[in-house]
Amino acid sequence: MTGQDTIWTDPQGAGLEHLHLGKEDEGFLADAMFVGRSDDLPPFRLHLLLRLSAEWRMEAATVRLLSGSSEGPRELSFTVNGGADWRDAEGRSISELNGCYEIDLATSAFTKSLPIRRLGLAAGESAEISVAYLDVPLMRVRPVRQRYSCIAPLGPDGGLYRYEPLFRGNAHELQVDSDGLVTDYPGAFRRVYAG
């Protein structure tokens, strides 16, 4: 993959995600835009920029709320090292997120692909992980536990994974393409364009 664009929609018509994923010398740069609405809040626009290693480990993230209401800041920037130690834009430790390897946005199909690629699970394997969960558009981040289980590993025809957000108690089967990008997350996201 040298660069591709992907668009996902919310089957209920509440949102849209557009991702440009580009290959860089040392990894990947994911640049995503979101438009949508959440519960009783006004519509929002959000920009996400993620720097990933060649092994799909998140190294840095910047999230900007471009419009909409927020209970938190309008922009968040993080770095995370291979030991899952997090720092803010000023280099201060964010100890409550230590142990999380990636960020997960409530509005993003793409961020569900990060653990799938990083973990590299074989058929029948599962892993319980911590992620930095960002509640959008409120811009509140907190660590949460999730479990990923491999039903059918990545191959030329894609793969199938079970995703369980343990903090909410429900589970979903995620169909992914050969690059590990979600194609179908029933009830939440459906890929409508890949090119």
Side-chain angles (χ1 to χ4, degrees):
M1 168 189 343
T2 57
Q4 73 179 66
D5 287 282
T6 306
I7 298 173
W8 293 271
T9 61
D10 173 343
Q12 282 76 44
L16 176 83
E17 176 180 6
H18 171 224
L19 167 76
H20 179 78
L21 182 63
K23 180 81 171 89
E24 296 191 322
D25 292 339
E26 301 295 321
F28 300 92
L29 184 64
D31 187 334
M33 291 291 295
F34 306 87
V35 293
R37 53 179 281 291
S38 178
D39 300 324
D40 296 326
L41 299 172
F44 67 90
R45 290 184 300 133
L46 185 87
H47 180 236
L48 170 68
L49 196 61
L50 288 179
R51 189 166 306 282
L52 308 171
S53 74
E55 298 78 30
W56 283 68
R57 287 190 183 272
M58 191 183 102
E59 297 175 339
T62 299
V63 186
R64 290 183 188 96
L65 185 64
L66 303 174
S67 68
S69 61
S70 170
E71 294 179 3
R74 308 269 317 165
E75 181 174 317
L76 296 168
S77 291
F78 309 102
T79 59
V80 59
N81 65 23
D85 296 318
W86 288 65
R87 303 219 171 255
D88 66 13
E90 285 76 39
R92 295 181 299 248
S93 176
I94 311 172
S95 59
E96 63 269 20
L97 298 180
N98 287 347
C100 300
Y101 284 94
E102 49 262 321
I103 196 167
D104 183 12
L105 275 65
T107 57
S108 174
F110 174 67
T111 57
K112 308 303 180 277
S113 296
L114 300 177
I116 290 171
R117 287 298 303 261
R118 179 179 62 82
L119 293 168
L121 299 172
E125 289 184 332
S126 66
E128 190 172 317
I129 62 171
S130 292
V131 299
Y133 183 79
L134 182 62
D135 188 4
V136 176
L138 302 177
M139 299 293 279
R140 293 184 301 214
V141 64
R142 68 187 192 279
V144 299
R145 300 292 291 166
Q146 299 178 343
R147 182 181 297 116
Y148 282 82
S149 303
C150 179
I151 299 168
L154 282 181
D157 296 323
L160 184 63
Y161 295 82
R162 182 177 173 85
Y163 160 67
E164 299 172 77
L166 300 175
F167 64 103
R168 283 198 306 246
N170 53 1
H172 306 276
E173 288 189 357
L174 307 180
Q175 185 72 47
V176 300
D177 66 14
S178 59
D179 290 319
L181 299 180
V182 172
T183 58
D184 188 36
Y185 176 161
F189 306 105
R190 186 179 70 249
R191 185 170 74 181
V192 295
Y193 176 82

